[in-house]
Amino acid sequence: MELPYSEPYRIKATEAIRTSTRQEREEWIRQARYNLFKLDSDKVFIDLLTDSGTGSMSDNQWAAIMTGDESYAGASSYRKLETIIRSLFGMPYFLPTHQGRAAENVIFSALLKEGDIVPGNSHFDTTKGHIEFRRCSAPDCTIDEAADTQKELPFKGEMDLEKLEQVFKSHPREKIPCTVLTITNNTAGGQPVSMRNIRQTAELCRRYNIPLLIDSARFAENAYFIKTREQGYADKSIKEIVREIYSYADIMTISAKKDGVVNMGGFTAMRDKELFTKAMSYAIMFEGYITYGGMSGRDMNALAVGLDENTEFEQLDARIRQVKLLADLLDEYGVPYQRPAGGHAIFLDAKKILPAVPREEFIAQTLGIELYIEAGIRGVEIGSILADRDPVTRENRYPALELLRLAIPRRLYTDNHIRVVAAAVRNIYERRDSITSGYEIEFEAPILRHFTVELKKVQR
Ligand code: F0G
Protein backbone atom coordinates (compact mmCIF):
# COMPACT_ATOMS: atom_id res chain seq x y z
CA MET A 1 0.00 0.00 0.00
CA GLU A 2 1.22 3.47 -0.83
CA LEU A 3 1.77 5.45 2.35
CA PRO A 4 -0.46 8.52 2.79
CA TYR A 5 0.98 12.03 2.91
CA SER A 6 1.95 13.52 6.25
CA GLU A 7 3.48 16.80 7.39
CA PRO A 8 7.29 17.19 7.57
CA TYR A 9 7.19 18.31 11.24
CA ARG A 10 5.80 17.27 14.60
CA ILE A 11 4.18 19.47 17.26
CA LYS A 12 6.09 20.55 20.37
CA ALA A 13 3.64 22.85 22.13
CA THR A 14 -0.14 23.14 22.03
CA GLU A 15 -2.51 25.97 22.85
CA ALA A 16 -6.03 25.33 24.17
CA ILE A 17 -8.95 26.85 22.26
CA ARG A 18 -12.44 27.15 23.71
CA THR A 19 -15.72 26.04 22.29
CA SER A 20 -18.97 28.00 22.70
CA THR A 21 -22.69 27.70 22.06
CA ARG A 22 -24.61 29.23 19.18
CA GLN A 23 -26.55 31.36 21.69
CA GLU A 24 -23.31 32.77 23.14
CA ARG A 25 -21.99 33.53 19.69
CA GLU A 26 -25.17 35.32 18.64
CA GLU A 27 -24.81 37.59 21.64
CA TRP A 28 -21.05 38.15 21.18
CA ILE A 29 -21.31 39.09 17.52
CA ARG A 30 -24.15 41.50 18.31
CA GLN A 31 -21.95 43.12 20.98
CA ALA A 32 -19.14 43.32 18.39
CA ARG A 33 -21.51 45.33 16.14
CA TYR A 34 -21.35 42.54 13.60
CA ASN A 35 -17.71 43.35 12.90
CA LEU A 36 -15.55 40.22 13.15
CA PHE A 37 -12.46 42.36 13.86
CA LYS A 38 -14.12 43.49 17.09
CA LEU A 39 -14.49 39.98 18.53
CA ASP A 40 -12.07 38.96 21.26
CA SER A 41 -10.07 35.95 20.12
CA ASP A 42 -11.23 33.80 23.06
CA LYS A 43 -14.69 33.96 21.52
CA VAL A 44 -13.41 32.38 18.30
CA PHE A 45 -12.97 28.64 17.90
CA ILE A 46 -11.11 28.47 14.57
CA ASP A 47 -9.58 31.77 13.57
CA LEU A 48 -9.19 32.15 9.82
CA LEU A 49 -9.26 35.94 9.88
CA THR A 50 -5.75 36.03 8.51
CA ASP A 51 -2.61 34.03 7.86
CA SER A 52 -0.65 37.14 8.84
CA GLY A 53 1.45 36.85 11.99
CA THR A 54 -0.57 33.83 13.07
CA GLY A 55 1.69 30.96 11.97
CA SER A 56 3.51 28.60 14.33
CA MET A 57 7.21 29.29 14.46
CA SER A 58 9.68 26.41 14.33
CA ASP A 59 11.93 25.32 17.21
CA ASN A 60 14.85 26.92 15.36
CA GLN A 61 13.02 30.22 15.16
CA TRP A 62 12.26 30.12 18.89
CA ALA A 63 15.90 29.32 19.57
CA ALA A 64 16.92 32.30 17.43
CA ILE A 65 14.68 34.53 19.57
CA MET A 66 16.92 33.76 22.55
CA THR A 67 20.07 34.89 20.74
CA GLY A 68 18.65 38.15 19.40
CA ASP A 69 21.06 41.06 19.59
CA GLU A 70 19.21 44.12 20.88
CA SER A 71 21.97 46.65 20.20
CA TYR A 72 20.59 49.92 18.88
CA ALA A 73 23.02 50.06 15.96
CA GLY A 74 24.82 47.38 13.96
CA ALA A 75 23.26 44.38 15.76
CA SER A 76 24.32 40.91 14.63
CA SER A 77 20.60 40.14 14.14
CA TYR A 78 20.48 42.84 11.46
CA ARG A 79 23.49 41.28 9.74
CA LYS A 80 21.85 37.84 9.77
CA LEU A 81 18.75 39.29 8.16
CA GLU A 82 20.85 41.19 5.63
CA THR A 83 22.67 37.99 4.66
CA ILE A 84 19.49 36.04 3.90
CA ILE A 85 17.84 39.00 2.12
CA ARG A 86 20.87 39.38 -0.14
CA SER A 87 21.08 35.70 -0.91
CA LEU A 88 17.34 35.13 -1.47
CA PHE A 89 16.33 38.34 -3.21
CA GLY A 90 19.65 39.72 -4.45
CA MET A 91 18.74 43.20 -3.22
CA PRO A 92 21.72 45.18 -1.89
CA TYR A 93 19.81 47.63 0.33
CA PHE A 94 17.00 47.10 2.81
CA LEU A 95 15.20 48.81 5.69
CA PRO A 96 13.46 46.73 8.38
CA THR A 97 9.97 47.90 9.32
CA HIS A 98 7.44 46.73 11.86
CA GLN A 99 5.18 45.20 9.19
CA GLY A 100 4.23 45.38 5.51
CA ARG A 101 2.23 48.59 5.57
CA ALA A 102 5.09 50.34 7.33
CA ALA A 103 7.36 49.29 4.47
CA GLU A 104 4.78 50.79 2.10
CA ASN A 105 4.71 53.97 4.14
CA VAL A 106 8.50 54.33 4.00
CA ILE A 107 8.94 53.60 0.31
CA PHE A 108 5.86 55.51 -0.90
CA SER A 109 6.96 58.53 1.15
CA ALA A 110 10.15 58.49 -0.88
CA LEU A 111 8.52 57.72 -4.25
CA LEU A 112 5.05 59.26 -4.50
CA LYS A 113 3.75 62.79 -4.87
CA GLU A 114 0.19 64.03 -5.13
CA GLY A 115 -1.50 63.17 -8.43
CA ASP A 116 0.76 60.21 -9.22
CA ILE A 117 -0.50 56.94 -10.71
CA VAL A 118 0.58 53.55 -9.33
CA PRO A 119 -0.86 50.71 -11.42
CA GLY A 120 -0.88 47.13 -10.16
CA ASN A 121 -2.57 43.73 -10.12
CA SER A 122 -5.19 44.17 -7.35
CA HIS A 123 -3.31 46.27 -4.80
CA PHE A 124 -3.81 45.01 -1.25
CA ASP A 125 -6.01 47.35 0.82
CA THR A 126 -3.18 48.92 2.84
CA THR A 127 -1.18 49.45 -0.36
CA LYS A 128 -4.15 51.12 -2.00
CA GLY A 129 -4.77 53.04 1.24
CA HIS A 130 -1.20 54.39 1.24
CA ILE A 131 -1.49 55.38 -2.41
CA GLU A 132 -4.90 57.05 -2.13
CA PHE A 133 -3.99 58.73 1.17
CA ARG A 134 -1.27 60.57 -0.78
CA ARG A 135 -3.94 61.66 -3.30
CA CYS A 136 -2.59 59.33 -5.92
CA SER A 137 -4.55 56.72 -7.85
CA ALA A 138 -4.11 52.96 -8.04
CA PRO A 139 -5.57 51.61 -11.31
CA ASP A 140 -6.19 47.87 -11.26
CA CYS A 141 -4.65 45.99 -14.19
CA THR A 142 -5.46 42.44 -13.12
CA ILE A 143 -6.51 40.01 -15.86
CA ASP A 144 -10.31 39.91 -16.32
CA GLU A 145 -10.44 36.15 -15.74
CA ALA A 146 -9.59 36.71 -12.06
CA ALA A 147 -13.16 37.95 -11.54
CA ASP A 148 -14.73 34.71 -12.81
CA THR A 149 -14.60 32.50 -9.72
CA GLN A 150 -15.42 29.32 -11.60
CA LYS A 151 -12.67 29.62 -14.21
CA GLU A 152 -9.68 27.35 -13.56
CA LEU A 153 -6.40 29.04 -14.50
CA PRO A 154 -2.99 28.03 -13.16
CA PHE A 155 -1.92 31.68 -12.77
CA LYS A 156 -5.07 33.62 -12.11
CA GLY A 157 -3.45 36.56 -10.31
CA GLU A 158 -1.57 37.96 -13.29
CA MET A 159 -1.08 41.46 -14.58
CA ASP A 160 -2.92 42.25 -17.83
CA LEU A 161 -0.06 43.68 -19.88
CA GLU A 162 -2.36 45.51 -22.28
CA LYS A 163 -4.17 47.28 -19.45
CA LEU A 164 -0.81 48.15 -17.90
CA GLU A 165 0.57 49.53 -21.15
CA GLN A 166 -2.61 51.55 -21.58
CA VAL A 167 -1.96 53.21 -18.20
CA PHE A 168 1.67 53.86 -19.23
CA LYS A 169 0.55 55.39 -22.54
CA SER A 170 -2.12 57.64 -21.10
CA HIS A 171 0.05 59.43 -18.53
CA PRO A 172 3.41 61.16 -18.66
CA ARG A 173 6.28 58.98 -17.41
CA GLU A 174 6.99 61.28 -14.42
CA LYS A 175 3.46 60.68 -13.09
CA ILE A 176 4.10 56.93 -12.68
CA PRO A 177 6.73 56.44 -9.95
CA CYS A 178 6.40 52.63 -9.96
CA THR A 179 4.25 49.63 -10.82
CA VAL A 180 3.20 47.26 -8.02
CA LEU A 181 3.11 43.53 -8.72
CA THR A 182 1.62 41.55 -5.83
CA ILE A 183 2.63 37.89 -5.49
CA THR A 184 0.57 35.94 -4.78
CA ASN A 185 -2.40 38.13 -5.64
CA ASN A 186 -4.19 38.22 -2.28
CA THR A 187 -7.24 40.22 -3.32
CA ALA A 188 -7.93 38.00 -6.34
CA GLY A 189 -7.94 34.89 -4.15
CA GLY A 190 -4.34 34.10 -3.26
CA GLN A 191 -3.80 33.39 -6.94
CA PRO A 192 -0.24 33.17 -8.26
CA VAL A 193 1.56 35.05 -11.02
CA SER A 194 3.70 33.08 -13.47
CA MET A 195 7.40 33.74 -14.00
CA ARG A 196 6.53 34.56 -17.59
CA ASN A 197 4.12 37.29 -16.48
CA ILE A 198 6.59 38.63 -13.91
CA ARG A 199 9.27 38.80 -16.61
CA GLN A 200 6.95 40.44 -19.15
CA THR A 201 5.68 42.97 -16.61
CA ALA A 202 9.30 43.85 -15.82
CA GLU A 203 10.14 44.18 -19.52
CA LEU A 204 7.19 46.49 -20.11
CA CYS A 205 8.14 48.60 -17.09
CA ARG A 206 11.71 48.80 -18.33
CA ARG A 207 10.57 49.90 -21.78
CA TYR A 208 8.75 52.83 -20.19
CA ASN A 209 11.53 53.37 -17.65
CA ILE A 210 9.22 52.71 -14.67
CA PRO A 211 10.56 50.81 -11.64
CA LEU A 212 8.87 47.52 -10.73
CA LEU A 213 7.99 47.04 -7.07
CA ILE A 214 7.05 43.53 -5.96
CA ASP A 215 4.66 43.34 -3.00
CA SER A 216 6.10 40.13 -1.63
CA ALA A 217 3.90 39.02 1.28
CA ARG A 218 3.45 35.50 -0.14
CA PHE A 219 6.45 35.29 -2.46
CA ALA A 220 7.39 31.74 -1.38
CA GLU A 221 3.91 30.37 -2.08
CA ASN A 222 4.06 32.06 -5.47
CA ALA A 223 7.40 30.34 -6.12
CA TYR A 224 5.83 27.00 -5.12
CA PHE A 225 3.14 27.45 -7.76
CA ILE A 226 5.76 28.36 -10.37
CA LYS A 227 7.65 25.17 -9.52
CA THR A 228 4.58 22.95 -9.60
CA ARG A 229 2.63 24.58 -12.47
CA GLU A 230 4.95 26.38 -14.89
CA GLN A 231 6.89 24.58 -17.54
CA GLY A 232 10.64 24.56 -17.02
CA TYR A 233 10.65 25.04 -13.25
CA ALA A 234 9.92 21.56 -11.86
CA ASP A 235 13.60 20.82 -11.26
CA LYS A 236 14.49 24.20 -9.79
CA SER A 237 14.58 24.75 -6.04
CA ILE A 238 12.23 27.28 -4.44
CA LYS A 239 15.26 29.43 -3.59
CA GLU A 240 16.43 29.42 -7.22
CA ILE A 241 12.96 30.43 -8.36
CA VAL A 242 12.78 33.22 -5.76
CA ARG A 243 16.15 34.49 -6.94
CA GLU A 244 14.92 34.62 -10.53
CA ILE A 245 11.67 36.41 -9.58
CA TYR A 246 13.58 39.18 -7.84
CA SER A 247 16.12 39.52 -10.63
CA TYR A 248 13.22 41.27 -12.43
CA ALA A 249 12.37 43.65 -9.57
CA ASP A 250 13.79 47.07 -8.67
CA ILE A 251 12.10 47.44 -5.30
CA MET A 252 10.28 45.14 -2.88
CA THR A 253 8.04 45.59 0.11
CA ILE A 254 7.19 42.65 2.31
CA SER A 255 4.95 41.85 5.20
CA ALA A 256 7.16 39.19 6.81
CA LYS A 257 4.19 38.01 8.86
CA LYS A 258 3.14 35.69 6.06
CA ASP A 259 5.89 33.79 4.26
CA GLY A 260 8.52 34.87 6.79
CA VAL A 261 6.48 32.92 9.40
CA VAL A 262 7.01 35.49 12.15
CA ASN A 263 4.44 37.25 14.31
CA MET A 264 5.60 40.73 13.39
CA GLY A 265 7.97 42.30 10.91
CA GLY A 266 8.59 43.47 7.37
CA PHE A 267 11.02 45.41 5.23
CA THR A 268 11.50 47.27 2.00
CA ALA A 269 14.51 46.48 -0.18
CA MET A 270 15.85 48.06 -3.32
CA ARG A 271 18.68 48.08 -5.86
CA ASP A 272 19.05 51.83 -6.19
CA LYS A 273 21.31 53.54 -3.66
CA GLU A 274 19.75 56.95 -4.22
CA LEU A 275 16.28 55.61 -3.45
CA PHE A 276 17.65 53.85 -0.37
CA THR A 277 19.17 57.11 0.87
CA LYS A 278 15.88 58.94 0.39
CA ALA A 279 13.80 56.18 2.01
CA MET A 280 16.28 55.94 4.90
CA SER A 281 15.20 59.30 6.31
CA TYR A 282 11.56 58.22 6.37
CA ALA A 283 12.50 54.88 7.93
CA ILE A 284 14.32 56.69 10.72
CA MET A 285 11.41 59.07 11.28
CA PHE A 286 8.60 56.53 11.16
CA GLU A 287 10.19 53.25 12.20
CA GLY A 288 13.59 53.42 13.88
CA TYR A 289 17.29 53.51 13.17
CA ILE A 290 18.22 51.80 9.88
CA THR A 291 19.66 48.64 11.44
CA TYR A 292 16.46 47.73 13.27
CA GLY A 293 13.68 49.96 11.90
CA GLY A 294 10.51 48.57 13.39
CA MET A 295 11.93 45.27 14.61
CA SER A 296 13.65 44.04 17.73
CA GLY A 297 16.84 42.02 17.35
CA ARG A 298 15.08 38.79 18.33
CA ASP A 299 12.41 39.38 15.71
CA MET A 300 15.05 39.93 13.01
CA ASN A 301 16.74 36.69 14.10
CA ALA A 302 13.49 34.73 13.90
CA LEU A 303 12.76 36.23 10.50
CA ALA A 304 16.19 35.31 9.14
CA VAL A 305 15.53 31.67 10.09
CA GLY A 306 11.90 31.80 8.89
CA LEU A 307 12.85 33.10 5.43
CA ASP A 308 15.41 30.35 5.05
CA GLU A 309 13.13 27.52 6.26
CA ASN A 310 10.00 28.61 4.44
CA THR A 311 11.76 28.68 1.10
CA GLU A 312 12.13 24.90 1.25
CA PHE A 313 9.70 22.87 -0.84
CA GLU A 314 8.48 20.49 1.93
CA GLN A 315 7.23 23.31 4.16
CA LEU A 316 5.29 24.98 1.35
CA ASP A 317 3.96 21.67 0.11
CA ALA A 318 2.45 20.82 3.52
CA ARG A 319 0.82 24.21 3.75
CA ILE A 320 -0.64 24.35 0.28
CA ARG A 321 -1.91 20.78 0.59
CA GLN A 322 -3.90 21.83 3.67
CA VAL A 323 -5.50 24.73 1.80
CA LYS A 324 -6.31 22.28 -1.00
CA LEU A 325 -7.92 19.88 1.50
CA LEU A 326 -10.47 22.56 2.34
CA ALA A 327 -11.08 23.13 -1.38
CA ASP A 328 -11.53 19.41 -2.03
CA LEU A 329 -14.11 19.13 0.76
CA LEU A 330 -16.00 22.17 -0.56
CA ASP A 331 -15.99 20.54 -4.00
CA GLU A 332 -17.49 17.42 -2.48
CA TYR A 333 -20.26 19.55 -0.92
CA GLY A 334 -20.77 21.65 -4.07
CA VAL A 335 -19.92 24.99 -2.41
CA PRO A 336 -18.64 27.66 -4.84
CA TYR A 337 -15.29 29.36 -4.15
CA GLN A 338 -12.61 31.15 -6.16
CA ARG A 339 -11.08 28.36 -8.23
CA PRO A 340 -8.51 26.93 -8.17
CA ALA A 341 -7.58 26.91 -4.45
CA GLY A 342 -5.23 29.78 -3.60
CA GLY A 343 -1.94 29.57 -1.75
CA HIS A 344 -2.97 30.89 1.64
CA ALA A 345 -6.74 30.84 1.68
CA ILE A 346 -10.03 29.76 0.23
CA PHE A 347 -12.23 32.60 -0.93
CA LEU A 348 -15.89 31.63 -0.73
CA ASP A 349 -18.04 33.11 -3.49
CA ALA A 350 -20.61 34.85 -1.32
CA LYS A 351 -22.82 36.04 -4.19
CA LYS A 352 -23.30 32.43 -5.27
CA ILE A 353 -23.67 31.09 -1.72
CA LEU A 354 -26.19 33.73 -0.59
CA PRO A 355 -27.98 34.76 -3.80
CA ALA A 356 -30.96 36.31 -1.98
CA VAL A 357 -29.00 38.98 -0.04
CA PRO A 358 -28.92 42.38 -1.87
CA ARG A 359 -25.44 43.82 -2.53
CA GLU A 360 -26.33 46.98 -0.58
CA GLU A 361 -26.59 44.76 2.51
CA PHE A 362 -23.02 43.43 2.25
CA ILE A 363 -23.26 39.85 1.03
CA ALA A 364 -19.80 38.60 2.00
CA GLN A 365 -20.02 40.18 5.45
CA THR A 366 -23.38 38.48 5.94
CA LEU A 367 -21.79 35.14 5.10
CA GLY A 368 -18.95 35.84 7.54
CA ILE A 369 -21.40 36.52 10.35
CA GLU A 370 -23.37 33.35 9.53
CA LEU A 371 -20.20 31.26 9.64
CA TYR A 372 -19.23 32.69 12.99
CA ILE A 373 -22.65 31.98 14.46
CA GLU A 374 -22.67 28.49 12.93
CA ALA A 375 -19.38 27.25 14.35
CA GLY A 376 -17.26 30.02 15.89
CA ILE A 377 -15.17 30.30 12.73
CA ARG A 378 -13.85 33.75 11.85
CA GLY A 379 -13.17 34.64 8.22
CA VAL A 380 -12.78 38.05 6.66
CA GLU A 381 -14.87 39.96 4.16
CA ILE A 382 -13.22 40.82 0.84
CA GLY A 383 -16.19 42.62 -0.63
CA SER A 384 -17.91 45.97 -0.63
CA ILE A 385 -17.10 46.93 2.96
CA LEU A 386 -13.39 46.45 2.22
CA ALA A 387 -13.76 48.15 -1.19
CA ASP A 388 -14.79 51.28 0.72
CA ARG A 389 -16.11 54.43 -0.90
CA ASP A 390 -14.85 56.14 -4.02
CA PRO A 391 -12.42 58.82 -2.75
CA VAL A 392 -13.97 61.43 -5.07
CA THR A 393 -17.72 60.67 -5.21
CA ARG A 394 -17.88 59.04 -1.71
CA GLU A 395 -20.28 56.47 -3.16
CA ASN A 396 -19.96 52.85 -1.99
CA ARG A 397 -17.84 50.81 -4.39
CA TYR A 398 -19.24 47.42 -5.33
CA PRO A 399 -16.45 45.15 -6.58
CA ALA A 400 -17.13 42.39 -9.09
CA LEU A 401 -16.58 39.80 -6.39
CA GLU A 402 -18.06 39.43 -2.93
CA LEU A 403 -15.73 36.99 -1.20
CA LEU A 404 -15.36 35.59 2.29
CA ARG A 405 -11.73 34.73 2.79
CA LEU A 406 -10.85 31.79 4.99
CA ALA A 407 -7.12 32.27 5.48
CA ILE A 408 -5.23 29.28 6.82
CA PRO A 409 -2.44 30.16 9.25
CA ARG A 410 0.81 28.30 8.66
CA ARG A 411 1.25 25.10 10.75
CA LEU A 412 -1.42 26.21 13.25
CA TYR A 413 -4.50 24.04 12.71
CA THR A 414 -4.80 20.34 11.97
CA ASP A 415 -6.71 18.74 9.11
CA ASN A 416 -9.50 17.99 11.60
CA HIS A 417 -10.03 21.72 12.11
CA ILE A 418 -10.25 22.07 8.35
CA ARG A 419 -12.96 19.39 8.25
CA VAL A 420 -15.00 21.34 10.84
CA VAL A 421 -14.70 24.47 8.68
CA ALA A 422 -15.88 22.66 5.56
CA ALA A 423 -18.86 21.12 7.39
CA ALA A 424 -19.92 24.49 8.82
CA VAL A 425 -19.80 26.12 5.37
CA ARG A 426 -21.83 23.23 4.00
CA ASN A 427 -24.52 23.73 6.67
CA ILE A 428 -24.92 27.38 5.69
CA TYR A 429 -25.00 26.52 2.00
CA GLU A 430 -27.78 24.03 2.65
CA ARG A 431 -29.98 26.65 4.31
CA ARG A 432 -29.05 29.46 1.90
CA ASP A 433 -32.63 30.10 0.79
CA SER A 434 -33.59 31.13 4.29
CA ILE A 435 -30.93 33.90 4.41
CA THR A 436 -32.47 36.85 2.58
CA SER A 437 -31.27 39.98 4.36
CA GLY A 438 -27.95 41.41 5.48
CA TYR A 439 -26.61 44.43 7.37
CA GLU A 440 -26.42 48.21 7.18
CA ILE A 441 -23.66 50.56 8.34
CA GLU A 442 -24.11 52.51 11.58
CA PHE A 443 -20.56 53.88 11.86
CA GLU A 444 -17.58 53.98 9.50
CA ALA A 445 -14.13 55.60 9.53
CA PRO A 446 -13.10 57.79 6.55
CA ILE A 447 -10.32 55.38 5.45
CA LEU A 448 -9.82 51.58 5.83
CA ARG A 449 -13.32 51.42 7.25
CA HIS A 450 -13.56 47.63 7.44
CA PHE A 451 -11.43 47.41 10.60
CA THR A 452 -13.77 49.52 12.72
CA VAL A 453 -17.11 49.55 10.90
CA GLU A 454 -20.23 49.04 13.04
CA LEU A 455 -23.26 47.35 11.53
CA LYS A 456 -26.82 46.54 12.36
CA LYS A 457 -29.13 43.88 11.05
CA VAL A 458 -31.53 44.87 8.31
CA GLN A 459 -35.05 44.10 9.54
CA ARG A 460 -37.66 43.20 6.95
N1 F0G B 1 0.51 43.32 0.96
C1 F0G B 1 -0.25 42.20 0.94
C2 F0G B 1 -0.37 41.43 -0.34
C3 F0G B 1 -0.88 41.78 2.11
O1 F0G B 1 -1.62 40.68 2.06
C4 F0G B 1 -0.72 42.53 3.29
C5 F0G B 1 -1.37 42.14 4.52
C6 F0G B 1 0.07 43.69 3.27
C7 F0G B 1 0.68 44.04 2.07
C8 F0G B 1 0.27 44.54 4.48
O2 F0G B 1 1.05 43.89 5.41
O3 F0G B 1 -0.40 43.56 7.42
O4 F0G B 1 2.07 43.38 7.56
O5 F0G B 1 1.01 45.58 7.25
N2 F0G B 1 -2.25 41.30 4.57
C9 F0G B 1 -2.90 40.77 5.76
C10 F0G B 1 -3.97 39.83 5.33
C11 F0G B 1 -3.32 41.77 6.74
O6 F0G B 1 -4.74 39.41 6.20
O7 F0G B 1 -4.05 39.47 4.15
P1 F0G B 1 0.91 44.12 7.00
Side-chain angles (χ1 to χ4, degrees):
M1 178 182 183
E2 196 184 330
L3 297 180
Y5 175 80
S6 74
E7 293 76 5
Y9 52 82
R10 53 187 182 180
I11 297 167
K12 214 176 198 115
T14 63
E15 181 184 355
I17 46 179
R18 73 170 269 199
T19 54
S20 54
T21 64
R22 173 180 289 263
Q23 204 181 2
E24 282 175 320
R25 292 191 294 271
E26 278 171 351
E27 178 54 23
W28 292 336
I29 191 68
R30 194 186 58 77
Q31 286 169 1
R33 307 283 179 183
Y34 298 102
N35 181 341
L36 294 151
F37 284 102
K38 289 186 189 247
L39 278 175
D40 284 346
S41 65
D42 64 352
K43 298 184 170 55
V44 177
F45 181 50
I46 300 174
D47 204 347
L48 307 184
L49 184 67
T50 181
D51 63 322
S52 180
T54 52
S56 300
M57 289 204 295
S58 69
D59 52 353
N60 286 328
Q61 285 181 286
W62 281 111
I65 292 258
M66 286 306 295
T67 55
D69 176 355
E70 306 303 341
S71 307
Y72 191 94
S76 65
S77 302
Y78 171 80
R79 294 293 167 209
K80 283 182 189 157
L81 188 54
E82 179 182 56
T83 303
I84 185 84
I85 289 174
R86 285 192 175 158
S87 86
L88 266 182
F89 304 108
M91 296 261 177
Y93 306 106
F94 84 104
L95 293 162
T97 60
H98 75 275
Q99 59 184 89
R101 67 200 72 183
E104 292 162 7
N105 190 27
V106 167
I107 201 69
F108 288 154
S109 294
L111 276 176
L112 269 56
K113 56 184 186 322
E114 189 172 333
D116 280 350
I117 321 266
V118 185
N121 58 334
S122 323
H123 310 72
F124 182 66
D125 56 344
T126 59
T127 319
K128 195 178 189 140
H130 271 295
I131 294 168
E132 291 181 348
F133 176 73
R134 291 175 169 79
R135 297 185 191 281
C136 301
S137 67
D140 182 8
C141 302
T142 312
I143 53 168
D144 289 338
E145 291 91 329
D148 176 356
T149 61
Q150 299 312 295
K151 182 146 190 163
E152 294 264 355
L153 276 187
F155 294 101
K156 213 175 164 181
E158 293 193 331
M159 186 82 83
D160 183 322
L161 298 164
E162 278 175 27
K163 287 187 198 169
L164 185 62
E165 185 155 22
Q166 203 45 51
V167 174
F168 289 174
K169 278 184 177 157
S170 23
H171 303 278
R173 153 71 190 93
E174 61 278 10
K175 285 259 172 218
I176 311 178
C178 66
T179 294
V180 177
L181 183 69
T182 304
I183 60 170
T184 56
N185 185 329
N186 183 3
T187 314
Q191 300 293 332
V193 177
S194 67
M195 190 71 89
R196 182 163 173 256
N197 190 251
I198 296 172
R199 192 185 316 119
Q200 290 177 338
T201 302
E203 281 165 6
L204 187 61
C205 288
R206 201 145 304 145
R207 224 178 314 133
Y208 284 83
N209 196 21
I210 292 165
L212 177 63
L213 182 156
I214 299 190
D215 177 347
S216 312
R218 299 176 183 86
F219 75 97
E221 289 167 9
N222 201 94
Y224 172 92
F225 285 120
I226 289 174
K227 181 176 169 71
T228 53
R229 294 182 182 170
E230 189 165 350
Q231 214 189 341
Y233 289 93
D235 296 331
K236 293 211 152 71
S237 70
I238 297 291
K239 287 186 168 66
E240 284 168 333
I241 295 171
V242 169
R243 187 72 190 220
E244 184 181 338
I245 293 174
Y246 286 88
S247 71
Y248 303 122
D250 302 293
I251 309 165
M252 67 184 286
T253 54
I254 183 169
S255 166
K257 301 165 71 173
K258 286 86 167 170
D259 276 349
V261 205
V262 289
N263 303 120
M264 198 44 90
F267 57 86
T268 176
M270 62 289 283
R271 295 189 185 284
D272 182 38
K273 188 167 186 197
E274 212 174 302
L275 178 62
F276 170 73
T277 310
K278 205 168 166 198
M280 198 170 70
S281 306
Y282 294 105
I284 294 171
M285 268 197 304
F286 298 146
E287 291 292 301
Y289 181 62
I290 50 173
T291 63
Y292 71 86
M295 295 175 78
S296 55
R298 54 179 167 268
D299 287 344
M300 289 192 282
N301 262 13
L303 177 55
V305 175
L307 285 172
D308 188 24
E309 290 180 346
N310 201 41
T311 43
E312 289 299 325
F313 179 78
E314 289 70 25
Q315 289 298 323
L316 293 159
D317 193 38
R319 159 168 191 55
I320 288 169
R321 275 170 183 269
Q322 194 179 45
V323 177
K324 176 127 190 332
L325 169 67
L326 179 53
D328 290 345
L329 291 166
L330 295 175
D331 281 344
E332 199 180 314
Y333 306 151
V335 180
Y337 61 89
Q338 169 74 309
R339 311 181 70 86
H344 68 295
I346 293 295
F347 290 62
L348 299 176
D349 187 339
K351 276 190 195 168
K352 290 200 165 69
I353 296 174
L354 298 180
V357 177
R359 70 171 194 178
E360 291 75 16
E361 296 177 15
F362 307 112
I363 308 167
Q365 181 70 10
T366 304
L367 180 60
I369 294 163
E370 285 296 325
L371 187 59
Y372 174 70
I373 293 171
E374 178 71 27
I377 296 159
R378 172 156 70 173
V380 72
E381 189 243 28
I382 313 270
S384 35
I385 294 183
L386 180 71
D388 222 311
R389 291 176 188 274
D390 184 287
V392 180
T393 67
R394 301 307 298 158
E395 290 294 320
N396 273 319
R397 290 190 276 213
Y398 294 103
L401 295 179
E402 283 280 343
L403 302 169
L404 181 71
R405 187 185 75 171
L406 304 177
I408 318 284
R410 292 162 187 78
R411 304 187 291 223
L412 191 71
Y413 291 114
T414 66
D415 288 357
N416 280 336
H417 292 113
I418 299 296
R419 286 181 224 286
V420 171
V421 175
V425 173
R426 177 190 188 162
N427 289 348
I428 295 166
Y429 191 52
E430 282 179 351
R431 60 180 167 78
R432 62 189 175 279
D433 292 338
S434 66
I435 305 167
T436 55
S437 62
Y439 295 82
E440 60 188 286
I441 291 179
E442 281 201 308
F443 162 79
E444 66 183 286
I447 197 159
L448 297 174
R449 67 178 179 181
H450 57 289
F451 290 120
T452 52
V453 72
E454 295 183 0
L455 301 165
K456 76 167 197 246
K457 251 189 173 133
V458 172
Q459 303 292 352
R460 263 204 287 277

